[in-house]
Amino acid sequence: MFELVLGNSGGNEKLVFLRGEIDIYSAPDFRENLFQAIGDCKEDIVLDCSELSYIDSMGLGIMVAALKRAKQNDSNVRIRNPKPNVKKLFKITGLDKVFIMEDSK
Amino acid sequence: MFELVLGNSGGNEKLVFLRGEIDIYSAPDFRENLFQAIGDCKEDIVLDCSELSYIDSMGLGIMVAALKRAKQNDSNVRIRNPKPNVKKLFKITGLDKVFIMEDSK
Amino acid sequence: MKPLDSVSVLVPAKAEYVSVVRLTASGIASRLGFDIDDIEDIKVSISEVISRMIDKRVSSGRIAIDFHLFSDSIRIDFRLSDSSPKDIFAGGADDLAFEIIRSLMDEVNLNTDNQALLSMVKKLERAV
Amino acid sequence: MKPLDSVSVLVPAKAEYVSVVRLTASGIASRLGFDIDDIEDIKVSISEVISRMIDKRVSSGRIAIDFHLFSDSIRIDFRLSDSSPKDIFAGGADDLAFEIIRSLMDEVNLNTDNQALLSMVKKLERAV
Ligand SMILES: Nc1ncnc2c1ncn2[C@@H]1O[C@H](COP(=O)(O)OP(=O)(O)O)[C@@H](O)[C@H]1O
Ligand SMILES: Nc1ncnc2c1ncn2[C@@H]1O[C@H](COP(=O)(O)OP(=O)(O)O)[C@@H](O)[C@H]1O
């Protein structure tokens, strides 16, 4: 029940769709696929969370690791359209100040 | 998570919408509301099951009791648009031969 | 045969907890790879057994449901916390609930020797 | 205070069963009348604890989760089938998981005396 799909945004950003639940079971999958997607790209990574129904500290930790990698490449990680429950976790952990949070809706 | 709603069908039938789950927890509610709806009416009772997500032997038993009451009034009980899982239970218990099964879709 | 894994749920013998067990069962069954139809069959069968236990006041205490996972099947055992009459399907083969369980599961055993009041099995990739 | 009812779930200390406990928890919490936000808080908190137990290999056996229902709250106790180190939140207050649990639940107690490794409480109609 977790999927990571690479998008084609056209602009100078790398679009990554997250779907389903990120927990201890799916975290290894998420980590591997995310870092493979990032590679050494210099563009911003956009994590589209509109279909992400669940995340916990493990998933957030992986996003933080991805952000560190991105900063090394002088790029950034942006969190797009998280559902209220996901947004809440960014908020209570203070990670909403660390990532660029985007609401296009 | 169970609701029984009386419909207004215009024709010579009494329309009863069932919504949610009928199990041992909601069965007393279902029994009471269904028999209240039936009363002494001479029209056929149509149980619209399109929104009924779950039923078990207890719910089926109540429908059989309602059918007996209806027959006393020279009317009938019709099961309309059951979901596949609900239809399956009518089938394996042979009750699809006892009730009038209707698929308007 | 020893199961690969086992999950146990212990609930009060009260009507309002039957849906909790259904939810747990669907989580376990979907993990094992059962399709939606099979998961529904398992949920209905479990509900029938527990409802009967509650309805016949077989238990005043708690009902234990053990899910034993095998590579190609799931076995579900029902245990009671107190000793009690074991004729929950008094109606026998004519019984509507028993008929449903027998149709939906691949095996149903009453009064098994492994302390279970009732034990039932559903196979993965069931040959229809 | 004695709970009105208790539900217990026993699962293998493996990642694939965390979602099963989440599903069970949401069923119990919705029965008690918690709203969607509170149910989500409970699910996340439970996942954090169990994941940490699995991740730190605190248990090689099974994890017992007891849901104790009160008229105005739910208490969730985590017990282990084997004795093991009890420092699952070694990072202490800085720890991300612990921070999340502390924010989402009304009470969190580590190493309580009622045999639980961790115990947490969520109140109904929480005053915000
Ligand atoms: N109940 C289980 N017991 C043991 N292993 C399991 C169980 N459920 C899943 N697995 C393991 O997890 C792997 C993925 O299973 P699955 O649940 O079908 O994946 P997903 O949730 O990603 O669709 C399988 O290879 C299987 O070995
Ligand atoms: N966990 C519980 N423990 C004890 N009683 C419960 C529990 N959940 C519900 N009830 C009882 O069932 C009644 C209906 O509860 P509720 O679940 O809110 O109804 P519904 O599912 O019909 O919306 C309540 O009056 C309450 O006494």
Side-chain angles (χ1 to χ4, degrees):
Chain A
M1 334 297 138
F2 170 70
E3 257 188 326
L4 183 153
V5 179
L6 296 184
N8 203 331
S9 54
N12 57 344
E13 56 181 39
K14 185 144 205 151
L15 197 53
V16 177
F17 287 102
L18 307 179
R19 190 173 299 148
E21 309 196 325
I22 303 179
D23 69 355
I24 188 175
Y25 183 64
S26 53
D29 235 36
F30 174 49
R31 179 183 287 116
E32 189 183 322
N33 287 314
L34 180 61
F35 278 89
Q36 200 169 321
I38 294 179
D40 282 322
C41 91
K42 307 286 180 217
E43 303 157 341
D44 276 10
I45 312 295
V46 175
L47 299 180
D48 186 317
C49 297
S50 53
E51 300 289 318
L52 181 68
S53 58
Y54 183 87
I55 195 166
D56 61 17
S57 65
M58 227 163 246
L60 293 174
I62 292 167
M63 289 184 179
V64 170
L67 179 64
K68 282 182 186 161
R69 163 81 74 94
K71 297 268 182 182
Q72 285 170 2
N73 296 333
D74 286 319
S75 65
N76 225 319
V77 173
R78 294 190 255 146
I79 308 295
R80 186 170 291 169
N81 292 335
K83 288 179 191 286
N85 60 318
V86 171
K87 201 172 184 173
K88 181 175 183 178
L89 284 179
F90 277 92
K91 213 161 189 169
I92 63 175
T93 54
L95 289 176
D96 61 335
K97 302 286 188 298
V98 174
F99 288 94
I100 301 170
M101 306 297 286
E102 296 182 344
D103 273 306
S104 70
K105 285 176 291 195
Chain B
M1 331 304 136
F2 169 71
E3 256 187 328
L4 183 151
V5 180
L6 296 184
N8 203 331
S9 53
N12 57 343
E13 57 180 40
K14 186 145 205 151
L15 197 53
V16 177
F17 286 102
L18 306 180
R19 190 173 298 148
E21 309 196 326
I22 303 179
D23 69 355
I24 188 174
Y25 182 64
S26 53
D29 235 37
F30 174 48
R31 178 183 288 116
E32 190 183 322
N33 288 314
L34 180 61
F35 278 88
Q36 200 169 322
I38 293 179
D40 281 321
C41 90
K42 307 285 179 217
E43 302 158 342
D44 276 8
I45 313 295
V46 175
L47 299 180
D48 186 317
C49 297
S50 53
E51 299 289 319
L52 181 67
S53 58
Y54 183 87
I55 196 167
D56 61 17
S57 64
M58 228 164 244
L60 292 174
I62 292 167
M63 289 184 179
V64 170
L67 179 64
K68 282 182 186 161
R69 164 81 74 96
K71 296 268 181 180
Q72 286 169 2
N73 296 334
D74 287 318
S75 65
N76 225 320
V77 174
R78 294 190 255 146
I79 308 296
R80 186 171 290 169
N81 292 333
K83 289 179 191 286
N85 59 317
V86 171
K87 201 172 184 173
K88 181 175 183 177
L89 284 179
F90 276 92
K91 213 162 189 169
I92 62 175
T93 54
L95 290 175
D96 61 336
K97 303 285 188 299
V98 174
F99 289 94
I100 301 171
M101 308 295 288
E102 297 182 342
D103 272 308
S104 70
K105 285 177 289 195
Chain C
M1 217 172 76
K2 231 176 98 55
L4 301 173
D5 278 328
S6 296
V7 176
S8 300
V9 186
L10 201 62
V11 294
K14 295 182 181 177
E16 57 260 42
Y17 294 100
V18 180
S19 67
V20 172
V21 181
R22 275 205 295 277
L23 216 49
T24 307
S26 62
I28 295 170
S30 76
R31 261 285 164 258
L32 250 187
F34 282 103
D35 63 24
I36 297 180
D37 288 347
D38 284 346
I39 293 173
E40 193 64 27
D41 292 351
I42 292 169
K43 282 166 62 180
V44 172
S45 301
I46 290 175
S47 285
E48 294 291 354
V49 177
I50 302 179
S51 299
R52 189 52 64 99
M53 287 175 167
I54 295 170
D55 202 42
K56 293 219 160 181
R57 306 207 184 288
V58 162
S59 180
S60 56
R62 295 213 278 175
I63 301 173
I65 303 104
D66 302 316
F67 299 86
H68 298 293
L69 312 183
F70 299 90
S71 59
D72 60 351
S73 67
I74 187 168
R75 192 183 84 227
I76 302 153
D77 291 350
F78 299 83
R79 289 180 293 115
L80 295 170
S81 57
D82 48 7
S83 62
S84 44
K86 307 209 164 204
D87 57 340
I88 60 163
F89 292 106
D94 295 332
D95 192 280
L96 202 60
F98 195 64
E99 202 178 313
I100 290 174
I101 300 169
R102 286 284 292 262
S103 307
L104 300 182
M105 302 299 281
D106 292 300
E107 272 179 45
V108 182
N109 302 298
L110 278 159
N111 306 328
T112 65
D113 42 10
N114 57 332
Q115 296 174 306
L117 174 57
L118 188 146
S119 177
M120 55 193 197
V121 174
K122 183 85 174 175
K123 292 177 184 153
L124 260 172
E125 299 162 314
R126 184 184 184 183
V128 182
Chain D
M1 216 172 73
K2 231 177 98 56
L4 301 174
D5 279 326
S6 296
V7 175
S8 300
V9 186
L10 201 62
V11 292
K14 296 182 181 176
E16 57 260 42
Y17 294 100
V18 180
S19 66
V20 172
V21 181
R22 273 205 296 277
L23 217 48
T24 306
S26 61
I28 296 169
S30 75
R31 261 286 163 256
L32 250 186
F34 283 103
D35 64 23
I36 297 181
D37 287 348
D38 283 345
I39 293 173
E40 192 64 27
D41 291 351
I42 292 170
K43 281 167 62 180
V44 172
S45 300
I46 290 176
S47 285
E48 293 292 353
V49 176
I50 301 179
S51 299
R52 190 51 65 97
M53 286 175 167
I54 295 170
D55 202 42
K56 292 219 162 182
R57 307 203 184 290
V58 162
S59 179
S60 55
R62 296 213 278 175
I63 302 172
I65 303 105
D66 301 317
F67 299 85
H68 298 293
L69 312 183
F70 299 89
S71 60
D72 60 350
S73 66
I74 187 168
R75 193 183 85 226
I76 302 152
D77 292 350
F78 298 82
R79 290 180 292 115
L80 295 171
S81 56
D82 49 5
S83 63
S84 45
K86 308 211 165 205
D87 57 340
I88 61 164
F89 293 105
D94 295 331
D95 192 281
L96 202 59
F98 196 64
E99 202 177 315
I100 290 174
I101 299 169
R102 286 284 293 263
S103 306
L104 300 182
M105 301 299 281
D106 291 302
E107 273 180 44
V108 181
N109 301 298
L110 278 160
N111 305 330
T112 63
D113 42 12
N114 56 332
Q115 296 170 305
L117 174 56
L118 188 144
S119 178
M120 56 194 198
V121 174
K122 183 84 174 177
K123 292 177 184 152
L124 260 172
E125 300 163 312
R126 186 183 182 183
V128 183

